[in-house]
């Protein structure tokens, strides 16, 4: 907690300084901007004059060397045509590659403008499968529909199936994120502040940290958001996105924990209705 708190504070100080610099730039006087613009125009004029002088010198040198070039022109026609043809092929290949990359970049940017419903469906399906296995195991409140008893081999098999399902989804999610990151790097995706680069390292380290947070949340009763919130800030996620993501994760984790309490007969329904209503309103 001390480590995540330190990272959160460091992130807040860095953002404060960046916002302060931005506000100072906004408060610049119009006179200063005009003076800077005039200086830039003068520099452009000087560069233009210098370029014209260089062109004039190059033209005079070219006229002197024109006679020598005409003598060698006949002998180099065949070689020149071959080189030109080779350059044309390379140019066509390069243009086709750039066009394909541009189309892929446009498609990715268009996808990022909308909610990734495919990812949401995968999350919901994963949640439903885990919820189903929890209910099928049964507990103190009602017996298992499949005859599973606590501590029996079938009980541990069901737990293994649950963990295996989570691991399988995690592996496929990692493959998807890494492949998408490689495509973004190839097409020159313009990352902005708050974007996460899901490379091969990030797709291993961050899930492991979140798994540890979930483990301690279940063992000791601390909120997993205490770890996941600062973790996302350390990853560079925007604070609003971090807060919204934590709230979304709490919906699934708390619902799963609630079903476990229902199965074990440990849920007081009088308190449950009030707390659930307050939770949704909050």
């Amino acid at each position: 907690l001390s480590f995540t708190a330190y990272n959160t504070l460091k992130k807040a100080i860095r953002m404060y300084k960046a916002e302060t610099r931005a506000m100072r730039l906004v408060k610049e006087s119009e006179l200063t901007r005009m003076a800077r613009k005039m200086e830039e125009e003068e520099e452009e004029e000087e560069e233009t004059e210098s370029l014209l002088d260089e062109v004039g010198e190059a033209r005079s040198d070219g006229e002197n060397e024109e006679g020598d070039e005409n003598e060698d022109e006949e002998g180099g026609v065949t070689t020149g045509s071959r080189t030109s043809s080779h350059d044309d092929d390379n140019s066509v290949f390069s243009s086709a590659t750039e066009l394909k990359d541009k189309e892929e970049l446009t498609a990715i940017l268009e996808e990022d403008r909308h909610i990734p419903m495919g990812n949401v469906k995968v999350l919901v399906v994963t949640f439903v499968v885990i919820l189903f296995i929890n209910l099928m195991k049964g507990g103190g409140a009602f017996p298992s529909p499949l005859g599973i008893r606590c501590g029996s081999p079938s009980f541990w098999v069901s737990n293994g199936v649950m963990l295996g399902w989570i691991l399988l989804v995690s592996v496929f999610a990692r493959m998807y994120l890494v492949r998408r990151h490689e495509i973004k790097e190839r097409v020159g995706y313009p990352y902005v502040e708050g974007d996460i680069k899901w490379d091969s390292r990030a797709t291993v380290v961050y899930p492991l940290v979140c798994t540890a947070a979930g483990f301690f949340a279940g063992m000791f009763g601390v909120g997993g958001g205490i770890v996941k919130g600062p973790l996302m800030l350390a990853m560079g996620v925007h604070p609003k996105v971090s807060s919204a993501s934590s709230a979304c994760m709490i919906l699934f984790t708390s619902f799963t924990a609630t079903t476990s309490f229902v199965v074990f007969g440990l849920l007081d329904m009088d308190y449950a209705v009030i707390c659930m209503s307050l939770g949704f309103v909050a």
Side-chain angles (χ1 to χ4, degrees), residues 27-79:
K27 291 180 180 180
E28 278 190 342
S29 64
E30 188 66 26
L31 182 60
T32 305
R33 295 179 184 177
M34 292 176 61
R36 184 183 298 123
K37 186 176 181 180
M38 291 176 62
E39 292 177 357
E40 293 176 354
E41 291 177 352
E42 291 177 358
E43 291 178 357
E44 290 179 358
E45 291 178 358
E46 292 177 357
E47 292 177 357
T48 303
E49 293 176 357
S50 176
L51 182 61
L52 291 174
D53 294 339
E54 292 178 359
V55 170
E57 294 176 358
R59 182 177 299 174
S60 61
D61 294 340
E63 291 176 355
N64 295 332
E65 298 176 358
E66 184 177 358
D68 296 337
E69 292 178 355
N70 290 334
E71 295 178 358
D72 298 335
E73 184 176 356
E74 294 181 0
V77 170
T78 306
T79 305

Side-chain angles (χ1 to χ4, degrees), residues 11 15 30 40 50 63 88 92 103 125 162 170 186 201 208 224 226 233 256 258 261 265:
K11 173 77 173 180
M15 292 182 64
E30 188 66 26
E40 293 176 354
S50 176
E63 291 176 355
D88 291 342
V92 171
E103 291 176 352
V125 170
M162 184 189 304
S170 301
R186 177 168 53 82
R201 178 183 178 276
L208 288 179
I226 295 178
L233 293 178
T256 305
T258 302
F261 275 87

Side-chain angles (χ1 to χ4, degrees), residues 41-193:
E41 291 177 352
E42 291 177 358
E43 291 178 357
E44 290 179 358
E45 291 178 358
E46 292 177 357
E47 292 177 357
T48 303
E49 293 176 357
S50 176
L51 182 61
L52 291 174
D53 294 339
E54 292 178 359
V55 170
E57 294 176 358
R59 182 177 299 174
S60 61
D61 294 340
E63 291 176 355
N64 295 332
E65 298 176 358
E66 184 177 358
D68 296 337
E69 292 178 355
N70 290 334
E71 295 178 358
D72 298 335
E73 184 176 356
E74 294 181 0
V77 170
T78 306
T79 305
S81 60
R82 291 177 181 175
T83 305
S84 177
S85 176
H86 182 69
D87 292 342
D88 291 342
D89 293 340
N90 290 336
S91 177
V92 171
F93 178 76
S94 177
S95 300
T97 304
E98 292 177 357
L99 180 61
K100 182 180 178 181
D101 291 345
K102 186 176 180 180
E103 291 176 352
E104 290 183 352
L105 177 59
T106 303
I108 292 175
L109 292 174
E110 183 63 24
E111 290 177 4
D112 289 347
R113 293 179 57 191
H114 307 284
I115 298 175
M117 295 307 300
N119 298 349
V120 175
K121 291 177 182 178
V122 171
L123 178 62
V124 172
V125 170
T126 304
F127 166 73
V128 170
V129 171
I130 295 174
L131 186 64
F132 175 78
I133 295 175
N134 263 337
L135 294 176
M136 290 300 101
K137 288 191 300 183
F142 59 88
S144 169
L146 303 178
I148 299 175
R149 290 179 291 104
C150 182
S152 64
S154 57
F155 174 82
W156 294 111
V157 169
S158 61
N159 283 328
V161 171
M162 184 189 304
L163 294 176
W165 169 250
I166 296 174
L167 182 61
L168 180 65
V169 173
S170 301
V171 170
F172 276 101
R174 181 181 184 275
M175 294 171 57
Y176 167 77
L177 291 173
V178 172
R179 183 171 64 251
R180 190 173 178 85
H181 171 73
E182 292 175 351
I183 295 175
K184 286 183 176 181
E185 290 293 324
R186 177 168 53 82
V187 301
Y189 181 83
Y191 288 96
V192 298
E193 183 181 1

